Amino acid sequence: MDHAADAHRTDLMTITRHVLNEQSRNPESRGDFTILLSHIVLGCKFVASAVNKAGLAQLIGLAGETNGEEQKKLDVLSNEVFVKALVSSGRTCVLVSEEDEEATFVDPKLRGKYCVCFDPLDGSSNIDCGVSIGTIFGIYIIKDKDNVTLDDVLQPGKDMLAAGYCMYGSSCTLVLSTGSGVNGFTLDPSLGEFILTHPDIKIPKKGKIYSVNEGNAKNWDVPVAKFVEKCKYPKDGSPPKSLRYIGSMVADVHRTLLYGGVFLYPADQKSPNGKLRVLYEVFPMSFLMEQAGGQSFTGKERALDLVPTKIHERSPIFLGSYDDVEEIKALFAEHAKSSSA
Ligand code: AFP
């Protein structure tokens, strides 16, 4: 009998156990973060289950059957689940959700020290064709929970305490960083627990894939067009890169993290700030990339240095393998130099 394998199977590293281990290294830790995370995990499990049933619900016409109410759209439902889970954790004081125009300030009686920015169901336009979608979140600490204002939310990404995403795909995977590397956990449906399956994820230094919506090429700026041209027709004798684009950020970033390469949603002539949102798309994914050894760039600066001025602000983004992002940075620098000459 293989005792080592057997011990492994009976000694499961669940996400809660993992985070407790990490927190125990901090003598000031009171378990608040672990409690907050367990509420996020609950939201993810709920959404995973709802996403799994989505196709079925439509096919057998569950909509509106029970009490005459319209069946809620999945993104609206997911938002409600996360807001309720986060508020009831007693550990949050302000929430920013992609679904809500305004930030939610938690009732003072239920307040804790954390701010959570999240997109409850990113990529939701892909639901009806069964493509992987996900929840993205970033977590900050607020200095004074009793006097919290919107300014406390508009912090640069580098001040983030933790970030992660949960991908609802062929398996349900939660990727998390609390600032000391990146770990991936897969939901074991028979246990209802996220188990550590991808410890200490490191993105390859250079990748063979680029990921971008090429339908926007007509409006691209010069450095973006040059980069994509280099991917297709490299002049240094290297093989061309493969193009992969799902159109669901969590899925595209997850592949980039595991296989390497670069994901870009640039600014263009039509959308000078790109499409993706700073607080709950750009920052969490940039935090994870840096923690995994990659880079993230806006076309002007390190993405995590950005200081947002509005909660739903957008920013262009280039993230992925260190060397690939370095190449993009060089093209932007070269372009800036030639335009100022
Ligand atoms: P939806 O949530 O509307 O599907 O948008 C998804 C998203 O915000 C992000 O997940 C994708 O990376 C990006 O938009 C795709 O945008 P394009 O459809 O313009 O390529």
Side-chain angles (χ1 to χ4, degrees):
M1 198 161 102
D2 183 347
H3 289 287
D6 208 42
H8 186 64
R9 272 197 297 273
T10 53
D11 191 23
L12 298 171
M13 182 57 77
T14 63
I15 191 163
T16 310
R17 185 175 161 195
H18 176 85
V19 171
L20 276 171
N21 283 352
E22 278 191 341
Q23 301 297 304
S24 66
R25 280 183 231 129
N26 173 4
E28 277 166 30
S29 166
R30 298 278 169 275
D32 287 333
F33 183 79
T34 312
I35 292 172
L36 172 68
L37 190 79
S38 72
H39 283 74
I40 293 178
V41 164
L42 175 68
C44 294
K45 287 183 196 168
F46 185 100
V47 176
S49 151
V51 167
N52 277 337
K53 285 186 228 145
L56 191 61
Q58 225 173 41
L59 273 180
I60 60 175
L62 290 181
E65 269 192 4
T66 43
N67 55 6
E69 261 182 43
E70 276 268 296
Q71 191 190 354
K72 284 199 175 115
K73 282 181 65 198
L74 260 184
D75 43 6
V76 177
L77 182 72
S78 306
N79 189 43
E80 275 186 29
V81 168
F82 274 102
V83 170
K84 285 182 182 153
L86 290 167
V87 170
S88 67
S89 74
R91 301 299 184 277
T92 58
C93 55
V94 56
L95 309 176
V96 172
S97 165
E98 191 266 347
E99 287 289 325
D100 297 321
E101 209 171 306
E102 309 286 342
T104 302
F105 290 90
V106 177
D107 184 327
K109 292 195 287 292
L110 280 172
R111 273 188 195 171
K113 61 185 171 195
Y114 295 107
C115 158
V116 183
C117 302
F118 61 103
D119 187 342
L121 204 56
D122 190 70
S124 50
S125 62
N126 294 291
I127 294 173
D128 290 346
C129 61
V131 161
S132 297
I133 48 183
T135 299
I136 311 174
F137 56 92
I139 302 173
Y140 295 88
I141 285 201
I142 299 291
K143 279 179 227 95
D144 180 1
K145 68 182 166 68
D146 299 317
N147 292 301
V148 60
T149 70
L150 217 47
D151 283 343
D152 292 303
V153 178
L154 302 171
Q155 302 185 40
K158 64 183 175 208
D159 291 353
M160 223 169 347
L161 183 78
Y165 60 78
C166 186
M167 186 176 71
Y168 312 107
S170 51
S171 58
C172 177
T173 308
L174 200 155
V175 173
L176 175 72
S177 175
T178 55
S180 48
V182 179
N183 291 286
F185 304 83
T186 305
L187 182 63
D188 179 338
S190 62
L191 296 174
E193 289 277 6
F194 281 97
I195 309 294
L196 181 64
T197 47
H198 296 70
D200 198 17
I201 299 173
K202 292 281 175 245
I203 183 168
K205 189 149 182 291
K206 192 171 174 59
K208 298 180 180 136
I209 300 173
Y210 72 104
S211 184
V212 65
N213 183 344
E214 283 224 53
N216 296 328
K218 166 166 101 82
N219 296 313
W220 282 346
D221 296 329
V222 174
V224 177
K226 273 195 180 166
F227 176 72
V228 171
E229 183 76 2
K230 273 180 89 178
C231 291
K232 294 179 182 178
Y233 305 100
K235 294 207 172 80
D236 58 0
S238 59
K241 290 189 194 296
S242 294
L243 166 65
R244 299 280 184 271
Y245 189 70
I246 300 170
S248 173
M249 190 188 197
V250 173
D252 280 316
V253 169
H254 189 61
R255 183 202 54 248
T256 306
L257 197 59
L258 297 188
Y259 297 171
V262 63
F263 167 83
L264 33 152
Y265 209 111
D268 63 34
Q269 311 289 320
K270 260 177 64 194
S271 317
N273 296 317
K275 175 181 180 187
L276 302 180
R277 311 288 182 154
V278 173
L279 284 181
Y280 40 81
E281 290 182 312
V282 169
F283 277 173
M285 294 312 202
S286 301
F287 187 84
L288 290 167
M289 276 300 157
E290 286 199 4
Q291 286 291 324
Q295 295 200 68
S296 183
F297 177 61
T298 64
K300 291 195 177 108
E301 60 188 328
R302 173 189 176 211
L304 292 180
D305 282 342
L306 205 77
V307 185
T309 55
K310 289 184 297 199
I311 60 171
H312 295 295
E313 191 163 308
R314 299 172 198 263
S315 167
I317 185 75
F318 304 84
L319 55 78
S321 292
Y322 194 94
D323 287 357
D324 294 322
V325 178
E326 207 55 24
E327 224 175 276
I328 295 174
K329 283 161 80 176
L331 288 167
F332 272 93
E334 184 189 294
H335 181 66
K337 217 167 136 194
S338 64
S339 342
S340 68

